[in-house]
Amino acid sequence: MKILLVAALAVALAPTAHAATTTSVPNPVTTTTPLAQAKPRTTTNQAIRLFLADDKVADWLKRYPPRPDTDATFKDGVWTVNVFSGRAGEIATGKVDDATGSIVEAWTGPQVAWKMARGYEGAFGGTKINSYKVWLSLCALFLLGLVDWRRPLSIRNLDLLVLLSLSLSLWFFNRGNVFAAMPLAYPPLVWLLARCLWIGRSDTRPRGAPVWPVWVLAAATVFLAGFRVGLNWRASNVIDVGYSGVIGADRIVNGQSPYGHFPLEEPRPKCGPADADGEVRDRIQANGKCETANPLGDTYGPVSYLAYVPGYALFGWSHKWDRLKSVHFTSILFDLLAIVGLALVGRRFGGPRLAATAAFAWAAWPFTQYASSSNTNDSIAPALLIFGFLVLTSDFGRGAAVAVSGWTKFASLLVLPLWLGYPEARRPPRIASALVGFVAASAVVFFVLFLEPSPAHAARVFFDRTIRYQVGRDSPFSLWDWGQYHAKGLPDLQPIQRVLEVLFLAGVVALAWFPRYRSPLRMAALTAAVLIGFELLLTHWFYLYLPWFFPFVVLALVAPLPGRAHHDDPALPT
């Protein structure tokens, strides 16, 4: 995985994306006779001129040299126009209605190659979680339940507003304006990073707490948990990330490593109907089954697939991208485990009030439900790391928890240096015990490689399909890779990214020795800082990753665990 960092660049560098006449009209019918379809009314040059004159397209093309290369093809009453410019490659694409000359679709920059950048309604999570009614209701509950009304100007209350302010970035993303959305995500993340580093350094709890009785917070959490289950099961969608989970579970259950065995499109023969875009995704695979293709789904750690085995055992898989009940079940399971885990951690280190506050925070924060409604694997790693925090005083348990969480989506591996030393770094016996736990748990989950005739070959395939792929991928969903568009006004920040990566990794390694004494509060704050720093430096970042660090932001800033100014404080567990 590719890592990178940023100071804020909150400027919308591109014109607001517009939906043209409509955002998705695959095959509009312009005439009633096959003869008229075979003889378009508009010429190739006319269709290209109409497309280039569109306001959105024209604004984007101003960033490139004049007279770009173009081509156009005609099918079913619609012209598809493509625009190219030197090293930048394809810089715009869209559709022109032959009968009316209207622009049916107009996509520029990252929207050309990335459909997820086009702002399709409900593409992530479905329409319910993205509706103003549901999203703003969760925001209101989050604030109403957690704000300290006795100290309205406290910095803790500001932290709550910052956590919700990420919604502004998502709002722009949902409207297809990546160049406004991404810069707006960085100021909140930088603020949270700075706050967690401050708490980690001072080892002092922030002042403030919810005003509600414990039973009110607990009852609200139970209500929200039920609401979340219903919203996921009845009104959510499954994106390719979740679909990959059940495919991997199927391969493991049937005695095969998931790596290198995911269903392909080419060169496999077609076996199903075309989708709305005219693509046939169902192909006959090497196993003889007709399966919906997901060729890049084997890019996660083995736990990302093992976690879906219970759901697969209960609901099976039709080998198609259909209702996927097993995926919904898994998302709901780990979402609930995160709530329960936070409650248990809070009760252990702070009592019932802290338990109720921490659990409520996860249940009410809309971005955790965004991940659940998208049915991705992004709640698995934090849920496992929460339970690792629950056994913080067990050296073996800490190491094992980092392993199972890290071999889900890799980010958690970065907390290993910090987690090796609790409650005090530089104790070789305890570090050795934690390392044994890490290695043992890693060996258990990587048994999937031994399902292959040659485990050595399977290990190479695993590395190529996961680490090498993640490190080498391009993405517009951060500030770091905009240089790939070779467009005026878009900076190439990769040199800065490389420097920040080195500094970040040096800081992560230094956590093996500093700070020497570690309270639960300090551990939570620095864990959050490591995960936030990682996300700040990612080339391919997305809102679904926010739950990775959220539990530890809660335990450091919202429902803070006890700190310890002196390592010999007998009031804290060691």
Side-chain angles (χ1 to χ4, degrees):
M1 298 196 298
K2 208 171 179 180
I3 23 188
L4 336 264
L5 174 20
V6 41
L9 178 53
V11 203
L13 293 171
T16 302
H18 82 127
T21 304
T22 153
T23 57
S24 178
V25 182
N27 292 310
V29 178
T30 58
T31 62
T32 57
T33 67
L35 179 62
Q37 292 178 0
K39 295 181 178 180
R41 301 179 183 181
T42 308
T43 67
T44 300
N45 289 336
Q46 287 173 332
I48 291 173
R49 283 199 299 271
L50 287 168
F51 182 72
L52 296 182
D54 178 76
D55 290 342
K56 174 184 176 181
V57 175
D59 284 344
W60 180 250
L61 295 186
K62 290 176 183 177
R63 301 175 182 271
Y64 295 92
R67 295 182 295 278
D69 296 327
T70 58
D71 66 37
T73 57
F74 179 76
K75 182 180 179 181
D76 297 332
V78 173
W79 288 96
T80 298
V81 181
N82 306 102
V83 186
F84 306 86
S85 179
R87 290 188 301 160
E90 190 173 9
I91 58 175
T93 187
K95 298 181 184 297
V96 180
D97 188 293
D98 178 61
T100 65
S102 61
I103 307 300
V104 178
E105 293 180 0
W107 308 119
T108 60
Q111 296 174 333
V112 173
W114 293 84
K115 289 187 177 181
M116 63 185 281
R118 297 179 179 181
Y120 289 125
E121 183 179 2
F124 293 89
T127 56
K128 284 291 186 181
I129 184 59
N130 287 286
S131 68
Y132 287 123
K133 179 180 179 181
V134 173
W135 193 273
L136 294 180
S137 294
L138 288 173
C139 290
L141 285 171
F142 184 79
L143 280 179
L144 182 66
L146 296 174
V147 160
D148 186 345
W149 300 101
R150 295 162 298 192
R151 300 181 181 87
L153 300 181
S154 68
I155 196 168
R156 177 186 174 278
N157 287 348
L158 179 58
D159 293 334
L160 299 176
L161 291 173
V162 168
L163 283 165
L164 294 178
S165 71
L166 287 155
S167 302
L168 180 60
S169 173
L170 180 62
W171 187 87
F172 279 99
F173 172 82
N174 284 342
R175 279 144 190 83
N177 195 340
V178 171
F179 292 119
M182 293 304 106
L184 288 171
Y186 286 89
L189 293 178
V190 171
W191 171 269
L192 294 172
L193 174 64
R195 287 281 291 138
C196 289
L197 288 173
W198 177 263
I199 296 297
R201 179 182 178 276
S202 65
D203 205 8
T204 303
R205 302 171 65 176
R207 297 181 64 191
V211 298
W212 306 108
V214 170
W215 70 268
V216 172
L217 287 173
T221 302
V222 172
F223 168 80
L224 284 169
F227 172 78
R228 293 165 71 94
V229 170
L231 191 62
N232 180 298
W233 195 258
R234 295 174 178 271
S236 70
N237 61 9
V238 178
I239 66 172
D240 57 347
V241 178
Y243 178 49
S244 70
V246 71
I247 297 173
D250 172 83
R251 301 306 193 247
I252 293 169
V253 168
N254 287 284
Q256 191 175 48
S257 167
Y259 303 105
H261 297 293
F262 265 51
L264 306 173
E265 286 192 47
E266 299 298 339
R268 310 309 306 175
K270 300 175 182 179
C271 58
D275 60 17
D277 295 322
E279 298 180 7
V280 177
R281 300 289 305 276
D282 296 342
R283 304 296 180 98
I284 298 176
Q285 303 301 318
N287 58 13
K289 295 182 173 63
C290 180
E291 297 181 338
T292 305
N294 187 12
L296 298 178
D298 54 345
T299 188
Y300 309 111
V303 180
S304 285
Y305 309 111
L306 291 166
Y308 288 83
V309 169
Y312 176 87
L314 286 172
F315 297 100
W317 174 43
S318 68
H319 299 274
K320 303 294 174 61
W321 196 336
D322 50 21
R323 179 73 173 86
L324 295 174
K325 291 182 179 180
S326 56
V327 179
H328 288 273
F329 171 84
T330 305
S331 299
I332 291 170
L333 172 64
F334 281 93
D335 185 60
L336 295 178
L337 284 175
I339 294 174
V340 172
L342 279 169
L344 293 174
V345 169
R347 182 172 181 82
R348 180 183 182 193
F349 291 105
R353 171 163 290 280
L354 197 150
T357 303
F360 175 85
W362 178 282
W365 199 46
F367 285 99
T368 55
Q369 183 58 44
Y370 186 70
S372 176
S373 288
S374 298
N375 286 285
T376 68
N377 53 21
D378 292 290
S379 294
I380 299 174
L384 295 172
L385 208 56
I386 290 168
F387 279 89
F389 209 93
L390 183 63
V391 296
L392 196 60
T393 55
S394 166
D395 301 325
F396 185 93
R398 282 198 316 278
V402 172
V404 294
S405 178
W407 295 126
T408 302
K409 294 198 80 169
F410 305 114
S412 300
L413 296 175
L414 291 168
V415 306
L416 182 61
L418 171 67
W419 280 44
L420 287 177
Y422 177 86
E424 181 180 353
R426 309 176 217 174
R427 286 190 179 181
R430 304 199 70 164
I431 292 174
S433 180
L435 283 173
V436 168
F438 178 84
V439 172
S442 298
V444 170
V445 300
F446 274 102
F447 83 90
V448 298
L449 301 183
F450 289 87
L451 298 174
E452 295 295 298
S454 171
H457 173 73
R460 288 193 296 272
V461 173
F462 164 78
F463 179 82
D464 289 339
R465 303 293 294 177
T466 59
I467 306 299
R468 179 171 292 173
Y469 168 75
Q470 295 287 359
V471 168
R473 72 191 306 190
D474 299 323
S475 174
F477 303 111
S478 72
L479 300 179
W480 307 114
D481 203 22
W482 287 356
Q484 66 175 297
Y485 297 106
H486 303 282
K488 296 177 184 177
L490 295 183
D492 183 1
L493 299 178
Q494 285 196 345
I496 298 175
Q497 177 190 28
R498 298 291 181 265
V499 173
L500 293 174
E501 285 176 350
V502 172
L503 294 174
F504 172 72
L505 289 176
V508 167
V509 173
L511 289 173
W513 295 275
F514 306 99
R516 181 166 184 172
Y517 303 114
R518 297 148 191 232
S519 67
L521 175 65
R522 179 169 274 170
M523 290 288 288
L526 293 178
T527 298
V530 168
L531 296 173
I532 295 170
F534 176 76
E535 293 197 26
L536 280 167
L537 294 170
L538 275 175
T539 295
H540 184 73
W541 178 85
F542 199 59
Y543 306 94
L544 297 169
Y545 303 167
L546 294 172
W548 296 0
F549 65 74
F550 181 68
F552 303 99
V553 167
V554 169
L555 297 174
L557 304 179
V558 179
L561 298 175
R564 176 166 52 185
H566 303 289
H567 70 280
D568 56 352
D569 185 345
L572 297 172
T574 58

